[in-house]
Short mmCIF file of all heavy atoms in Angstrom, two decimals:
data_model
loop_
_atom_site.label_atom_id
_atom_site.label_comp_id
_atom_site.label_asym_id
_atom_site.label_seq_id
_atom_site.Cartn_x
_atom_site.Cartn_y
_atom_site.Cartn_z
N ARG F 19 18.13 20.94 -7.19
CA ARG F 19 17.31 20.82 -5.98
C ARG F 19 15.87 20.82 -6.45
O ARG F 19 15.49 21.62 -7.30
CB ARG F 19 17.52 22.00 -5.03
CG ARG F 19 18.76 21.88 -4.19
CD ARG F 19 18.92 23.04 -3.20
NE ARG F 19 17.85 23.01 -2.23
CZ ARG F 19 17.11 24.08 -1.90
NH1 ARG F 19 17.30 25.24 -2.46
NH2 ARG F 19 16.16 23.97 -1.01
N LEU F 20 15.08 19.91 -5.91
CA LEU F 20 13.65 19.87 -6.20
C LEU F 20 12.93 20.43 -4.99
O LEU F 20 13.06 19.90 -3.89
CB LEU F 20 13.21 18.43 -6.49
CG LEU F 20 13.99 17.70 -7.58
CD1 LEU F 20 13.43 16.29 -7.77
CD2 LEU F 20 13.98 18.46 -8.89
N VAL F 21 12.19 21.51 -5.21
CA VAL F 21 11.47 22.18 -4.13
C VAL F 21 10.00 22.29 -4.51
O VAL F 21 9.66 22.27 -5.69
CB VAL F 21 12.06 23.58 -3.84
CG1 VAL F 21 13.54 23.48 -3.44
CG2 VAL F 21 11.89 24.52 -5.02
N PRO F 22 9.12 22.43 -3.53
CA PRO F 22 7.70 22.59 -3.87
C PRO F 22 7.47 23.77 -4.82
O PRO F 22 7.97 24.87 -4.59
CB PRO F 22 7.04 22.83 -2.51
CG PRO F 22 7.96 22.18 -1.53
CD PRO F 22 9.34 22.39 -2.08
N LEU F 23 6.75 23.53 -5.90
CA LEU F 23 6.40 24.59 -6.84
C LEU F 23 5.44 25.53 -6.15
O LEU F 23 4.43 25.10 -5.58
CB LEU F 23 5.76 23.98 -8.09
CG LEU F 23 5.45 24.94 -9.24
CD1 LEU F 23 6.73 25.48 -9.85
CD2 LEU F 23 4.61 24.24 -10.30
N GLY F 24 5.75 26.82 -6.19
CA GLY F 24 4.91 27.79 -5.49
C GLY F 24 4.84 29.12 -6.22
O GLY F 24 5.41 29.29 -7.30
N PRO F 25 4.17 30.09 -5.61
CA PRO F 25 3.98 31.40 -6.24
C PRO F 25 5.29 32.10 -6.62
O PRO F 25 5.32 32.84 -7.59
CB PRO F 25 3.25 32.21 -5.16
CG PRO F 25 2.68 31.22 -4.22
CD PRO F 25 3.53 29.99 -4.31
N GLU F 26 6.35 31.83 -5.88
CA GLU F 26 7.64 32.46 -6.18
C GLU F 26 8.23 32.00 -7.51
O GLU F 26 9.17 32.61 -8.03
CB GLU F 26 8.64 32.20 -5.04
CG GLU F 26 9.05 30.76 -4.88
CD GLU F 26 8.12 29.91 -4.01
OE1 GLU F 26 6.94 30.28 -3.81
OE2 GLU F 26 8.58 28.85 -3.54
N HIS F 27 7.66 30.97 -8.11
CA HIS F 27 8.15 30.45 -9.39
C HIS F 27 7.33 30.94 -10.58
O HIS F 27 7.61 30.57 -11.72
CB HIS F 27 8.16 28.91 -9.36
CG HIS F 27 8.98 28.36 -8.25
ND1 HIS F 27 8.43 27.64 -7.21
CD2 HIS F 27 10.30 28.45 -8.00
CE1 HIS F 27 9.39 27.31 -6.37
NE2 HIS F 27 10.53 27.78 -6.83
N THR F 28 6.32 31.75 -10.32
CA THR F 28 5.39 32.17 -11.38
C THR F 28 6.08 32.80 -12.57
O THR F 28 5.83 32.42 -13.72
CB THR F 28 4.33 33.13 -10.82
OG1 THR F 28 3.58 32.47 -9.81
CG2 THR F 28 3.39 33.61 -11.91
N ASP F 29 6.96 33.78 -12.35
CA ASP F 29 7.59 34.48 -13.47
C ASP F 29 8.38 33.52 -14.36
O ASP F 29 8.26 33.54 -15.58
CB ASP F 29 8.51 35.59 -12.97
CG ASP F 29 7.75 36.75 -12.35
OD1 ASP F 29 6.51 36.84 -12.51
OD2 ASP F 29 8.40 37.58 -11.68
N ALA F 30 9.17 32.65 -13.75
CA ALA F 30 10.00 31.71 -14.51
C ALA F 30 9.13 30.64 -15.18
O ALA F 30 9.41 30.24 -16.32
CB ALA F 30 11.04 31.08 -13.59
N TYR F 31 8.10 30.18 -14.49
CA TYR F 31 7.19 29.18 -15.06
C TYR F 31 6.50 29.76 -16.30
O TYR F 31 6.39 29.11 -17.34
CB TYR F 31 6.17 28.76 -14.00
CG TYR F 31 5.17 27.74 -14.45
CD1 TYR F 31 5.49 26.38 -14.48
CD2 TYR F 31 3.89 28.11 -14.85
CE1 TYR F 31 4.57 25.43 -14.89
CE2 TYR F 31 2.96 27.17 -15.26
CZ TYR F 31 3.31 25.84 -15.28
OH TYR F 31 2.39 24.90 -15.70
N PHE F 32 6.05 31.00 -16.20
CA PHE F 32 5.41 31.67 -17.32
C PHE F 32 6.38 31.84 -18.49
O PHE F 32 6.05 31.54 -19.64
CB PHE F 32 4.87 33.04 -16.88
CG PHE F 32 4.34 33.86 -18.02
CD1 PHE F 32 3.17 33.52 -18.66
CD2 PHE F 32 5.04 34.98 -18.46
CE1 PHE F 32 2.68 34.28 -19.72
CE2 PHE F 32 4.57 35.74 -19.52
CZ PHE F 32 3.38 35.40 -20.15
N ALA F 33 7.60 32.29 -18.20
CA ALA F 33 8.60 32.50 -19.24
C ALA F 33 8.93 31.20 -19.97
O ALA F 33 9.12 31.20 -21.19
CB ALA F 33 9.87 33.11 -18.65
N ALA F 34 8.98 30.08 -19.24
CA ALA F 34 9.26 28.79 -19.87
C ALA F 34 8.19 28.43 -20.89
O ALA F 34 8.49 27.84 -21.93
CB ALA F 34 9.38 27.70 -18.80
N GLY F 35 6.96 28.81 -20.62
CA GLY F 35 5.85 28.53 -21.53
C GLY F 35 5.90 29.34 -22.81
O GLY F 35 5.18 29.04 -23.77
N LEU F 36 6.75 30.36 -22.86
CA LEU F 36 6.90 31.17 -24.06
C LEU F 36 7.97 30.63 -25.00
O LEU F 36 8.03 31.01 -26.16
CB LEU F 36 7.26 32.62 -23.67
CG LEU F 36 6.24 33.35 -22.81
CD1 LEU F 36 6.78 34.72 -22.42
CD2 LEU F 36 4.90 33.46 -23.53
N ASP F 37 8.82 29.74 -24.51
CA ASP F 37 9.91 29.18 -25.30
C ASP F 37 9.33 28.20 -26.33
O ASP F 37 8.72 27.19 -25.97
CB ASP F 37 10.89 28.47 -24.36
CG ASP F 37 12.13 27.97 -25.09
OD1 ASP F 37 11.99 27.06 -25.93
OD2 ASP F 37 13.22 28.48 -24.79
N GLU F 38 9.53 28.50 -27.61
CA GLU F 38 8.94 27.70 -28.69
C GLU F 38 9.41 26.25 -28.67
O GLU F 38 8.63 25.33 -28.91
CB GLU F 38 9.24 28.32 -30.05
CG GLU F 38 8.46 29.59 -30.32
CD GLU F 38 6.95 29.39 -30.33
OE1 GLU F 38 6.47 28.38 -30.88
OE2 GLU F 38 6.25 30.25 -29.77
N GLU F 39 10.69 26.01 -28.38
CA GLU F 39 11.19 24.63 -28.38
C GLU F 39 10.65 23.85 -27.19
O GLU F 39 10.30 22.67 -27.32
CB GLU F 39 12.73 24.61 -28.40
CG GLU F 39 13.32 23.23 -28.52
CD GLU F 39 12.98 22.48 -29.82
OE1 GLU F 39 12.34 23.05 -30.73
OE2 GLU F 39 13.35 21.30 -29.91
N VAL F 40 10.52 24.48 -26.06
CA VAL F 40 9.91 23.83 -24.89
C VAL F 40 8.47 23.48 -25.21
O VAL F 40 8.01 22.38 -24.91
CB VAL F 40 10.01 24.73 -23.63
CG1 VAL F 40 9.17 24.17 -22.49
CG2 VAL F 40 11.47 24.89 -23.20
N ARG F 41 7.76 24.39 -25.85
CA ARG F 41 6.36 24.13 -26.23
C ARG F 41 6.26 22.96 -27.21
O ARG F 41 5.39 22.11 -27.09
CB ARG F 41 5.72 25.39 -26.81
CG ARG F 41 5.49 26.45 -25.74
CD ARG F 41 4.86 27.75 -26.24
NE ARG F 41 3.63 27.49 -26.94
CZ ARG F 41 3.48 27.69 -28.27
NH1 ARG F 41 4.45 28.14 -29.00
NH2 ARG F 41 2.33 27.43 -28.83
N ARG F 42 7.19 22.87 -28.17
CA ARG F 42 7.18 21.76 -29.13
C ARG F 42 7.44 20.43 -28.42
O ARG F 42 6.74 19.45 -28.65
CB ARG F 42 8.24 21.99 -30.22
CG ARG F 42 8.25 20.90 -31.29
CD ARG F 42 9.33 21.15 -32.33
NE ARG F 42 10.65 20.79 -31.85
CZ ARG F 42 11.19 19.58 -31.94
NH1 ARG F 42 10.50 18.59 -32.48
NH2 ARG F 42 12.39 19.34 -31.49
N LEU F 43 8.43 20.41 -27.55
CA LEU F 43 8.78 19.16 -26.87
C LEU F 43 7.68 18.67 -25.94
O LEU F 43 7.54 17.48 -25.71
CB LEU F 43 10.09 19.33 -26.09
CG LEU F 43 11.34 19.53 -26.96
CD1 LEU F 43 12.54 19.86 -26.09
CD2 LEU F 43 11.60 18.32 -27.84
N THR F 44 6.88 19.60 -25.42
CA THR F 44 5.78 19.22 -24.54
C THR F 44 4.44 19.14 -25.27
O THR F 44 3.44 18.77 -24.68
CB THR F 44 5.66 20.21 -23.36
OG1 THR F 44 5.44 21.53 -23.87
CG2 THR F 44 6.90 20.18 -22.48
N GLY F 45 4.43 19.51 -26.54
CA GLY F 45 3.20 19.47 -27.33
C GLY F 45 2.18 20.50 -26.88
O GLY F 45 0.98 20.30 -27.04
N SER F 46 2.65 21.62 -26.36
CA SER F 46 1.76 22.68 -25.85
C SER F 46 1.43 23.66 -26.97
O SER F 46 2.26 24.50 -27.33
CB SER F 46 2.42 23.42 -24.69
OG SER F 46 2.74 22.52 -23.66
N HIS F 47 0.22 23.58 -27.50
CA HIS F 47 -0.19 24.44 -28.60
C HIS F 47 -0.49 25.86 -28.15
O HIS F 47 -0.10 26.81 -28.80
CB HIS F 47 -1.41 23.86 -29.32
CG HIS F 47 -1.09 22.66 -30.14
ND1 HIS F 47 -0.41 22.73 -31.33
CD2 HIS F 47 -1.35 21.35 -29.94
CE1 HIS F 47 -0.28 21.53 -31.83
NE2 HIS F 47 -0.83 20.66 -31.01
N GLY F 48 -1.21 26.00 -27.08
CA GLY F 48 -1.62 27.33 -26.64
C GLY F 48 -0.56 28.02 -25.82
O GLY F 48 0.36 27.40 -25.28
N HIS F 49 -0.66 29.33 -25.76
CA HIS F 49 0.23 30.12 -24.92
C HIS F 49 -0.43 30.30 -23.56
O HIS F 49 -1.60 30.67 -23.46
CB HIS F 49 0.51 31.48 -25.54
CG HIS F 49 1.46 31.41 -26.69
ND1 HIS F 49 2.82 31.32 -26.53
CD2 HIS F 49 1.24 31.39 -28.02
CE1 HIS F 49 3.41 31.26 -27.70
NE2 HIS F 49 2.46 31.30 -28.63
N LEU F 50 0.32 30.04 -22.54
CA LEU F 50 -0.14 30.20 -21.17
C LEU F 50 -0.20 31.69 -20.84
O LEU F 50 0.75 32.42 -21.12
CB LEU F 50 0.87 29.50 -20.24
CG LEU F 50 0.58 29.43 -18.77
CD1 LEU F 50 -0.64 28.54 -18.52
CD2 LEU F 50 1.79 28.84 -18.04
N THR F 51 -1.30 32.14 -20.26
CA THR F 51 -1.36 33.53 -19.83
C THR F 51 -0.65 33.65 -18.48
O THR F 51 -0.51 32.67 -17.74
CB THR F 51 -2.81 34.01 -19.66
OG1 THR F 51 -3.43 33.28 -18.58
CG2 THR F 51 -3.62 33.83 -20.94
N TYR F 52 -0.23 34.86 -18.16
CA TYR F 52 0.45 35.07 -16.88
C TYR F 52 -0.51 34.75 -15.73
O TYR F 52 -0.10 34.15 -14.74
CB TYR F 52 0.97 36.51 -16.76
CG TYR F 52 1.81 36.69 -15.52
CD1 TYR F 52 3.15 36.34 -15.52
CD2 TYR F 52 1.24 37.16 -14.33
CE1 TYR F 52 3.92 36.46 -14.39
CE2 TYR F 52 2.01 37.29 -13.19
CZ TYR F 52 3.35 36.94 -13.22
OH TYR F 52 4.11 37.05 -12.08
N GLU F 53 -1.76 35.10 -15.89
CA GLU F 53 -2.75 34.84 -14.84
C GLU F 53 -2.90 33.34 -14.58
O GLU F 53 -2.95 32.90 -13.44
CB GLU F 53 -4.10 35.45 -15.23
CG GLU F 53 -5.19 35.26 -14.20
CD GLU F 53 -4.91 35.94 -12.86
OE1 GLU F 53 -4.10 36.88 -12.81
OE2 GLU F 53 -5.50 35.49 -11.85
N ARG F 54 -2.96 32.54 -15.66
CA ARG F 54 -3.08 31.08 -15.49
C ARG F 54 -1.81 30.50 -14.86
O ARG F 54 -1.89 29.60 -14.05
CB ARG F 54 -3.34 30.40 -16.84
CG ARG F 54 -4.66 30.80 -17.48
CD ARG F 54 -5.85 30.04 -16.98
NE ARG F 54 -5.76 28.66 -17.39
CZ ARG F 54 -6.18 27.65 -16.64
NH1 ARG F 54 -6.72 27.86 -15.48
NH2 ARG F 54 -6.07 26.41 -17.05
N ALA F 55 -0.65 31.03 -15.24
CA ALA F 55 0.61 30.57 -14.64
C ALA F 55 0.62 30.88 -13.14
O ALA F 55 1.01 30.05 -12.32
CB ALA F 55 1.81 31.24 -15.32
N ARG F 56 0.17 32.07 -12.78
CA ARG F 56 0.11 32.47 -11.36
C ARG F 56 -0.86 31.56 -10.60
O ARG F 56 -0.54 31.06 -9.53
CB ARG F 56 -0.32 33.93 -11.23
CG ARG F 56 -0.29 34.44 -9.79
CD ARG F 56 -0.80 35.87 -9.68
NE ARG F 56 -2.16 36.03 -10.16
CZ ARG F 56 -3.24 35.59 -9.52
NH1 ARG F 56 -3.14 34.96 -8.37
NH2 ARG F 56 -4.44 35.77 -10.03
N GLU F 57 -2.04 31.34 -11.17
CA GLU F 57 -3.03 30.46 -10.51
C GLU F 57 -2.48 29.05 -10.33
O GLU F 57 -2.68 28.44 -9.28
CB GLU F 57 -4.32 30.41 -11.35
CG GLU F 57 -5.12 31.68 -11.32
CD GLU F 57 -6.28 31.66 -12.32
OE1 GLU F 57 -6.47 30.63 -13.02
OE2 GLU F 57 -6.99 32.67 -12.41
N TRP F 58 -1.80 28.53 -11.36
CA TRP F 58 -1.24 27.17 -11.27
C TRP F 58 -0.20 27.09 -10.15
O TRP F 58 -0.26 26.21 -9.30
CB TRP F 58 -0.62 26.78 -12.61
CG TRP F 58 0.01 25.43 -12.60
CD1 TRP F 58 1.34 25.14 -12.46
CD2 TRP F 58 -0.67 24.17 -12.70
NE1 TRP F 58 1.53 23.79 -12.48
CE2 TRP F 58 0.32 23.17 -12.63
CE3 TRP F 58 -1.99 23.80 -12.85
CZ2 TRP F 58 0.02 21.81 -12.70
CZ3 TRP F 58 -2.29 22.44 -12.92
CH2 TRP F 58 -1.30 21.48 -12.85
N CYS F 59 0.74 28.02 -10.16
CA CYS F 59 1.81 27.99 -9.15
C CYS F 59 1.26 28.20 -7.73
O CYS F 59 1.73 27.56 -6.79
CB CYS F 59 2.88 29.04 -9.47
SG CYS F 59 3.86 28.61 -10.94
N GLU F 60 0.26 29.05 -7.59
CA GLU F 60 -0.33 29.30 -6.27
C GLU F 60 -1.15 28.11 -5.76
O GLU F 60 -1.27 27.92 -4.56
CB GLU F 60 -1.21 30.55 -6.31
CG GLU F 60 -0.43 31.83 -6.38
CD GLU F 60 -1.33 33.06 -6.44
OE1 GLU F 60 -2.58 32.92 -6.57
OE2 GLU F 60 -0.78 34.18 -6.37
N SER F 61 -1.69 27.31 -6.66
CA SER F 61 -2.59 26.23 -6.25
C SER F 61 -1.87 24.91 -5.95
O SER F 61 -2.49 23.96 -5.49
CB SER F 61 -3.65 25.98 -7.33
OG SER F 61 -3.05 25.46 -8.50
N ARG F 62 -0.58 24.82 -6.19
CA ARG F 62 0.13 23.56 -6.04
C ARG F 62 0.29 23.12 -4.59
O ARG F 62 0.22 21.94 -4.29
CB ARG F 62 1.53 23.62 -6.69
CG ARG F 62 1.54 23.88 -8.17
CD ARG F 62 0.76 22.88 -8.99
NE ARG F 62 -0.65 23.24 -9.10
CZ ARG F 62 -1.62 22.40 -9.39
NH1 ARG F 62 -1.37 21.15 -9.63
NH2 ARG F 62 -2.86 22.81 -9.46
N SER F 63 0.50 24.05 -3.67
CA SER F 63 0.77 23.65 -2.29
C SER F 63 -0.43 23.01 -1.61
O SER F 63 -0.26 22.23 -0.68
CB SER F 63 1.25 24.86 -1.47
OG SER F 63 0.21 25.80 -1.35
N GLY F 64 -1.60 23.29 -2.06
CA GLY F 64 -2.79 22.74 -1.43
C GLY F 64 -3.17 21.36 -1.93
O GLY F 64 -4.11 20.74 -1.43
N ARG F 65 -2.45 20.83 -2.89
CA ARG F 65 -2.79 19.54 -3.49
C ARG F 65 -2.29 18.39 -2.63
O ARG F 65 -1.18 18.42 -2.13
CB ARG F 65 -2.18 19.42 -4.88
CG ARG F 65 -2.62 20.46 -5.88
CD ARG F 65 -4.11 20.41 -6.16
NE ARG F 65 -4.54 19.17 -6.77
CZ ARG F 65 -4.85 19.02 -8.04
NH1 ARG F 65 -4.79 20.04 -8.86
NH2 ARG F 65 -5.25 17.86 -8.49
N THR F 66 -3.13 17.39 -2.48
CA THR F 66 -2.73 16.20 -1.71
C THR F 66 -2.79 14.94 -2.57
O THR F 66 -2.52 13.85 -2.08
CB THR F 66 -3.66 16.02 -0.49
OG1 THR F 66 -5.01 15.89 -0.95
CG2 THR F 66 -3.55 17.20 0.45
N ASP F 67 -3.12 15.12 -3.86
CA ASP F 67 -3.25 13.98 -4.75
C ASP F 67 -2.12 13.90 -5.78
O ASP F 67 -2.12 13.03 -6.63
CB ASP F 67 -4.59 14.04 -5.49
CG ASP F 67 -4.72 15.30 -6.34
OD1 ASP F 67 -4.05 16.31 -6.05
OD2 ASP F 67 -5.51 15.27 -7.30
N ARG F 68 -1.16 14.81 -5.69
CA ARG F 68 -0.06 14.86 -6.65
C ARG F 68 1.10 15.62 -6.03
O ARG F 68 0.96 16.24 -4.99
CB ARG F 68 -0.50 15.50 -7.96
CG ARG F 68 -1.04 16.90 -7.78
CD ARG F 68 -1.55 17.52 -9.06
NE ARG F 68 -0.47 17.86 -9.95
CZ ARG F 68 -0.53 17.79 -11.27
NH1 ARG F 68 -1.63 17.40 -11.88
NH2 ARG F 68 0.50 18.12 -12.02
N LEU F 69 2.23 15.57 -6.71
CA LEU F 69 3.43 16.24 -6.23
C LEU F 69 3.98 17.09 -7.36
O LEU F 69 4.31 16.57 -8.43
CB LEU F 69 4.46 15.18 -5.81
CG LEU F 69 5.73 15.63 -5.14
CD1 LEU F 69 5.44 16.36 -3.84
CD2 LEU F 69 6.63 14.43 -4.88
N ASP F 70 4.03 18.41 -7.16
CA ASP F 70 4.54 19.34 -8.17
C ASP F 70 5.77 20.02 -7.59
O ASP F 70 5.69 20.70 -6.56
CB ASP F 70 3.48 20.39 -8.51
CG ASP F 70 2.29 19.78 -9.22
OD1 ASP F 70 2.43 19.44 -10.41
OD2 ASP F 70 1.23 19.62 -8.59
N LEU F 71 6.91 19.84 -8.26
CA LEU F 71 8.16 20.37 -7.77
C LEU F 71 8.85 21.23 -8.82
O LEU F 71 8.81 20.92 -10.01
CB LEU F 71 9.11 19.23 -7.36
CG LEU F 71 8.59 18.28 -6.29
CD1 LEU F 71 9.54 17.09 -6.13
CD2 LEU F 71 8.40 19.01 -4.96
N ALA F 72 9.48 22.31 -8.36
CA ALA F 72 10.32 23.14 -9.23
C ALA F 72 11.73 22.56 -9.20
O ALA F 72 12.20 22.08 -8.17
CB ALA F 72 10.32 24.58 -8.73
N ILE F 73 12.40 22.62 -10.33
CA ILE F 73 13.80 22.20 -10.43
C ILE F 73 14.63 23.47 -10.34
O ILE F 73 14.49 24.38 -11.15
CB ILE F 73 14.07 21.47 -11.76
CG1 ILE F 73 13.08 20.32 -11.96
CG2 ILE F 73 15.51 21.00 -11.83
CD1 ILE F 73 13.06 19.75 -13.38
N ILE F 74 15.49 23.52 -9.33
CA ILE F 74 16.26 24.72 -9.02
C ILE F 74 17.75 24.40 -9.05
O ILE F 74 18.17 23.32 -8.64
CB ILE F 74 15.88 25.23 -7.59
CG1 ILE F 74 14.36 25.46 -7.48
CG2 ILE F 74 16.66 26.46 -7.20
CD1 ILE F 74 13.84 26.55 -8.37
N ALA F 75 18.56 25.36 -9.50
CA ALA F 75 20.02 25.22 -9.42
C ALA F 75 20.42 25.43 -7.96
O ALA F 75 20.04 26.43 -7.35
CB ALA F 75 20.70 26.24 -10.31
N PRO F 76 21.16 24.50 -7.36
CA PRO F 76 21.49 24.60 -5.94
C PRO F 76 22.31 25.85 -5.58
O PRO F 76 22.12 26.43 -4.53
CB PRO F 76 22.28 23.34 -5.62
CG PRO F 76 22.30 22.52 -6.83
CD PRO F 76 21.69 23.29 -7.96
N GLY F 77 23.19 26.26 -6.46
CA GLY F 77 24.07 27.39 -6.13
C GLY F 77 23.38 28.73 -6.10
O GLY F 77 23.42 29.45 -5.10
N ASP F 78 22.68 29.06 -7.18
CA ASP F 78 22.10 30.40 -7.29
C ASP F 78 20.58 30.44 -7.22
O ASP F 78 19.97 31.50 -7.32
CB ASP F 78 22.58 31.09 -8.56
CG ASP F 78 22.21 30.33 -9.83
OD1 ASP F 78 21.41 29.38 -9.77
OD2 ASP F 78 22.74 30.70 -10.90
N GLY F 79 19.93 29.29 -7.08
CA GLY F 79 18.47 29.25 -6.97
C GLY F 79 17.74 29.50 -8.27
O GLY F 79 16.53 29.70 -8.27
N ARG F 80 18.46 29.47 -9.39
CA ARG F 80 17.85 29.71 -10.70
C ARG F 80 16.85 28.60 -11.02
O ARG F 80 17.10 27.43 -10.80
CB ARG F 80 18.96 29.76 -11.74
CG ARG F 80 18.54 30.08 -13.13
CD ARG F 80 19.78 30.20 -14.01
NE ARG F 80 20.81 29.28 -13.54
CZ ARG F 80 21.67 28.67 -14.32
NH1 ARG F 80 21.67 28.88 -15.60
NH2 ARG F 80 22.57 27.84 -13.82
N TYR F 81 15.70 28.99 -11.57
CA TYR F 81 14.65 28.05 -11.97
C TYR F 81 15.07 27.35 -13.24
O TYR F 81 15.39 27.98 -14.25
CB TYR F 81 13.36 28.84 -12.19
CG TYR F 81 12.17 28.02 -12.64
CD1 TYR F 81 11.33 27.42 -11.71
CD2 TYR F 81 11.87 27.88 -13.98
CE1 TYR F 81 10.22 26.69 -12.12
CE2 TYR F 81 10.76 27.16 -14.40
CZ TYR F 81 9.95 26.56 -13.47
OH TYR F 81 8.85 25.84 -13.87
N LEU F 82 15.09 26.00 -13.21
CA LEU F 82 15.51 25.20 -14.35
C LEU F 82 14.36 24.46 -15.01
O LEU F 82 14.51 23.94 -16.11
CB LEU F 82 16.57 24.18 -13.91
CG LEU F 82 17.81 24.74 -13.21
CD1 LEU F 82 18.67 23.61 -12.67
CD2 LEU F 82 18.60 25.63 -14.17
N GLY F 83 13.22 24.37 -14.32
CA GLY F 83 12.07 23.65 -14.87
C GLY F 83 11.18 23.15 -13.76
O GLY F 83 11.27 23.60 -12.61
N GLU F 84 10.30 22.22 -14.11
CA GLU F 84 9.38 21.67 -13.13
C GLU F 84 9.02 20.25 -13.51
O GLU F 84 9.21 19.83 -14.64
CB GLU F 84 8.13 22.54 -12.97
CG GLU F 84 7.44 22.93 -14.26
CD GLU F 84 6.38 21.95 -14.72
OE1 GLU F 84 5.80 21.24 -13.87
OE2 GLU F 84 6.12 21.90 -15.92
N LEU F 85 8.52 19.51 -12.52
CA LEU F 85 8.12 18.13 -12.74
C LEU F 85 6.95 17.79 -11.84
O LEU F 85 6.67 18.49 -10.88
CB LEU F 85 9.30 17.18 -12.51
CG LEU F 85 10.00 17.18 -11.17
CD1 LEU F 85 9.24 16.41 -10.11
CD2 LEU F 85 11.40 16.60 -11.32
N SER F 86 6.27 16.71 -12.19
CA SER F 86 5.10 16.29 -11.41
C SER F 86 4.99 14.78 -11.35
O SER F 86 5.29 14.08 -12.32
CB SER F 86 3.80 16.80 -12.06
OG SER F 86 3.76 18.20 -12.08
N ILE F 87 4.55 14.31 -10.20
CA ILE F 87 4.02 12.96 -10.04
C ILE F 87 2.51 13.18 -9.94
O ILE F 87 2.05 13.90 -9.05
CB ILE F 87 4.55 12.28 -8.76
CG1 ILE F 87 6.06 12.04 -8.85
CG2 ILE F 87 3.80 10.97 -8.48
CD1 ILE F 87 6.48 10.96 -9.82
#
Side-chain angles (χ1 to χ4, degrees):
R19 280 183 65 229
L20 306 181
V21 301
L23 185 67
E26 66 274 20
H27 303 114
T28 299
D29 291 346
Y31 180 81
F32 173 71
L36 299 176
D37 185 294
E38 288 299 319
E39 185 62 6
V40 170
R41 290 180 54 248
R42 182 181 77 88
L43 293 173
T44 59
S46 302
H47 287 287
H49 285 280
L50 185 66
T51 66
Y52 187 84
E53 181 63 22
R54 296 278 292 145
R56 185 184 59 72
E57 289 172 1
W58 178 260
C59 290
E60 286 179 353
S61 67
R62 299 303 87 201
S63 66
R65 299 298 297 255
T66 59
D67 61 336
R68 58 183 288 146
L69 187 61
D70 293 285
L71 301 172
I73 307 167
I74 304 296
D78 59 11
R80 184 175 33 147
Y81 179 87
L82 304 172
E84 50 89 26
L85 57 80
S86 298
I87 295 289

